């Protein structure tokens, strides 16, 4: 399994992170088996959020940790906070500290390897966030910090006040949701793809050494569905299927390989609870597409080259 240093930090992690948003679909025995399967594939980085399953996902994961003494030390665990579902986003110091305590309690652990701020809070006071980060780090509760769904200016504002380097930014990205790429290729054009919706976050993260963690890597739109085996994307699936046959892997493997081929050294966040699909994603991490193959897939998704 390909490894990267998250945000240039000493924390070495696999190029594939195991997203746990749906782990509450499993019972404790199934969850334990799933986690062990991930470890067999050298996947030891698990991504949570305090809102996943209303906290049930972290609690179930915590049950597995409790049943297996010594397992925690083999894992890197990341969680996110800042969303108050249906009400607001909250980056106040009090909310961040309270959220982390809840996360740690549900997981049954003393620390998080990484904490991300889940979505931008329009009322963020960066000084408060910095104080929360410092308090959590000093108490040994969080080792590294990052953000999710933030643009460069928001990250710069936060980084101005905290001495803790932001190591990750979790962003939606797939070949069918690739404005981060198209806006950089269709510069100075009147095309839809030229619209920069993220403040050139891809280039910013590369310049600053921030790892982009890609969520919904097999979906298009905002939770509209998957593009693989979808009649809405015939040319894309044709090209992906051809390459899958050529390399002796599945279409999921090729779709994962497309993301991980980018020189930004992204970390793909899976969302599946199926062991076979996790294995297919891992196969993609070990596959290096050629430059021509990468662009073939990109063009087949409906993007253009000037």
């Amino acid at each position: 399994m390909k490894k990267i240093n998250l945000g240039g930090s000493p924390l070495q992690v696999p190029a594939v992170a195991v997203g746990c948003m749906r782990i509450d679909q499993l019972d404790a025995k199934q969850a334990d088996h799933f986690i062990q399967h991930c470890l067999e594939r050298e996947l030891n980085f698990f991504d949570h959020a305090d809102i996943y399953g209303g906290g049930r996902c972290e609690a179930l994961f915590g049950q597995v940790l409790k049943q297996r003494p010594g397992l925690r030390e083999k894992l890197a665990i990341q969680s996110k906070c800042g969303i108050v579902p249906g009400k607001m986003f909250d980056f106040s110091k009090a909310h961040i500290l309270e959220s982390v305590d809840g996360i740690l309690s549900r997981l049954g652990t003393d620390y998080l390897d990484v904490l991300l701020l889940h979505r931008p809070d329009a009322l963020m006071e960066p000084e408060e966030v910095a104080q929360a980060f410092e308090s959590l780090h000093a108490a040994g509760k969080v080792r590294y910090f990052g953000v999710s769904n933030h643009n460069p200016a928001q990250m710069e504002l936060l980084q101005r006040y905290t001495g803790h380097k932001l190591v990750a930014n979790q962003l939606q990205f797939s070949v069918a949701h690739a404005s981060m790429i198209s806006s950089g290729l269709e510069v100075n054009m009147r095309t839809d793809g030229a619209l920069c919706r993220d403040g050139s976050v891809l280039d910013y993260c590369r310049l600053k050494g921030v790892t982009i963690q890609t969520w919904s890597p097999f979906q298009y739109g905002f939770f509209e569905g998957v593009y693989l085996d979808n009649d809405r994307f015939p040319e894309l699936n044709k090209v992906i299927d051809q390459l899958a046959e050529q390399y002796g892997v599945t279409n999921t493997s090729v779709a994962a390989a497309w993301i991980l081929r980018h020189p930004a050294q992204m970390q793909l966040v899976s969302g599946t609870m199926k062991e076979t699909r996790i294995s297919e994603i891992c196969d993609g991490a070990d596959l290096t597409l050629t430059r021509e193959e990468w662009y073939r897939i990109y063009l087949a998704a409906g993007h253009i080259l000037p």
Side-chain angles (χ1 to χ4, degrees):
M1 169 57 63
K2 176 183 176 183
K3 305 284 186 179
I4 61 173
N5 286 87
L6 196 70
S9 75
L11 181 61
Q12 191 173 74
V13 299
V16 175
V18 183
C20 295
M21 185 173 71
R22 301 181 181 89
I23 200 169
D24 63 337
Q25 297 174 356
L26 310 178
D27 59 30
K29 184 177 180 179
Q30 291 170 328
D32 177 74
H33 195 277
F34 175 74
I35 293 170
Q36 295 306 313
H37 175 78
C38 290
L39 292 176
E40 290 171 4
R41 292 306 308 252
E42 299 182 63
L43 303 181
N44 70 332
F45 188 95
F46 293 85
D47 174 68
H48 288 271
D50 59 357
I51 64 167
Y52 290 169
R56 293 189 303 275
C57 295
E58 291 172 336
L60 178 61
F61 200 91
Q63 289 181 39
V64 175
L65 293 180
K66 185 177 181 180
Q67 293 168 2
R68 288 187 175 269
L71 177 60
R72 173 65 183 96
E73 287 68 34
K74 299 177 182 178
L75 310 181
I77 301 178
Q78 170 177 282
S79 195
K80 302 180 284 293
C81 72
I83 296 179
V84 182
K87 293 183 179 180
M88 60 183 178
F89 301 143
D90 190 347
F91 283 4
S92 66
K93 178 181 178 181
H95 181 78
I96 293 172
L97 296 180
E98 181 181 358
S99 297
V100 171
D101 283 343
I103 291 168
L104 296 178
S105 176
R106 289 188 292 274
L107 288 171
T109 183
D110 296 329
Y111 69 97
L112 287 175
D113 293 278
V114 187
L115 174 71
L116 304 185
L117 301 178
H118 208 157
R119 278 195 176 272
D121 175 12
L123 302 181
M124 177 184 75
E125 297 181 51
E127 301 93 336
E128 276 202 46
V129 176
Q131 291 170 11
F133 282 3
E134 185 55 41
S135 176
L136 291 168
H137 188 266
K141 294 181 179 181
V142 178
R143 295 182 172 177
Y144 299 99
F145 299 90
V147 294
S148 182
N149 306 298
H150 280 58
N151 67 32
Q154 291 164 335
M155 296 174 71
E156 277 291 295
L157 177 60
L158 181 55
Q159 197 69 86
R160 177 184 176 186
Y161 290 90
T162 177
H164 295 282
K165 180 182 183 293
L166 301 177
V167 298
N169 189 4
Q170 197 168 113
L171 299 158
Q172 185 177 6
F173 182 66
S174 74
V175 69
H177 190 98
S179 62
M180 284 197 293
I181 301 293
S182 65
S183 63
L185 291 178
E186 299 174 43
V187 174
N188 200 34
M189 297 181 67
R190 291 178 173 271
T191 53
D192 289 342
L195 295 175
C196 184
R197 298 177 170 86
D198 53 40
S200 298
V201 70
L202 172 58
D203 292 329
Y204 172 85
C205 287
R206 294 184 73 182
L207 284 167
K208 298 294 185 178
V210 178
T211 297
I212 292 179
Q213 299 177 329
T214 67
W215 60 270
S216 287
F218 308 109
Q219 296 203 25
Y220 66 96
F222 187 67
F223 295 120
E224 293 176 37
V226 297
Y227 57 84
L228 293 175
D229 299 319
N230 187 334
D231 292 340
R232 187 170 176 174
F233 299 91
E235 185 61 25
L236 176 58
N237 279 283
K238 177 182 176 181
V239 171
I240 288 177
D241 289 345
Q242 288 173 347
L243 289 170
E245 182 177 0
Q246 174 185 321
Y247 284 107
V249 295
T250 67
N251 58 356
T252 294
S253 303
V254 174
W258 185 86
I259 290 174
L260 297 176
R261 171 63 175 81
H262 196 279
Q265 296 286 297
M266 300 178 189
Q267 185 183 39
L268 182 151
V269 182
S270 69
T272 184
M273 292 294 110
K274 296 180 179 179
E275 295 174 9
T276 54
R277 192 165 173 81
I278 277 287
S279 292
E280 291 170 359
I281 294 171
C282 289
D283 291 341
D286 294 329
L287 171 63
T288 302
L289 298 173
T290 68
R291 183 180 296 264
E292 187 271 339
E293 289 165 348
W294 189 91
Y295 273 103
R296 275 178 61 197
I297 294 172
Y298 179 76
L299 291 171
H303 305 296
I304 67 168
L305 296 180

